[in-house]
Amino acid sequence: MINGAHVILYSQDAEADRAFIRDVLDFPGVDAGGGWMIFKLPPAEVAVHPTDDAPRHEFSLMCDDLRTQLGQLRAQGVEVTRPISEQRWGLLTAVRLPSGAELPLYQPFHPVAHSL
């Protein structure tokens, strides 16, 4: 029986990004050994989209109220890298991780599977 999903973010500054996830996003975690932190995520869902390009994967965090969430993140010094854009399916933006990578955030307009 499948009992969860494991997401890996590859980072050029893993320690700083781990600290961001722990201290800014406030996700609890466990040390898997040698300082390799594994963080508990909020409920998750997966979607499969068609593409004619090479297959790829995306990781985004979902919010009930994107504008409020961004205000809280900005108050902690987090850089918002994209203005909020309204898509057919929701509001979309991104924040900067300490490593320089972007982390997309969105507020869905569609029904969400993780509440089932």
Side-chain angles (χ1 to χ4, degrees), residues 15-116:
E15 283 300 318
D17 286 348
R18 288 179 192 137
F20 179 90
I21 292 168
R22 181 191 64 228
D23 301 336
V24 176
L25 299 181
D26 201 27
F27 290 178
V30 296
D31 187 329
W36 288 89
M37 294 300 295
I38 299 176
F39 297 96
K40 180 181 178 184
L41 289 173
E45 56 189 32
V46 64
V48 179
H49 293 235
T51 184
D52 292 327
D53 297 326
R56 62 188 176 92
H57 309 290
E58 291 182 19
F59 176 73
S60 302
L61 294 177
M62 297 166 59
C63 308
D64 291 330
D65 182 340
L66 186 60
R67 288 180 175 85
T68 298
Q69 183 65 64
L70 286 182
Q72 293 169 352
L73 291 171
R74 282 186 176 114
Q76 295 181 73
V78 176
E79 175 191 358
V80 177
T81 58
R82 298 183 215 166
I84 294 174
S85 65
E86 187 165 334
Q87 308 295 317
R88 173 182 55 79
W89 42 265
L91 301 177
L92 176 66
T93 189
V95 297
R96 178 89 52 216
L97 293 174
S99 65
E102 279 191 332
L103 178 60
L105 302 173
Y106 88 98
Q107 177 182 331
F109 293 158
H110 57 79
V112 292
H114 68 68
S115 62
L116 296 175

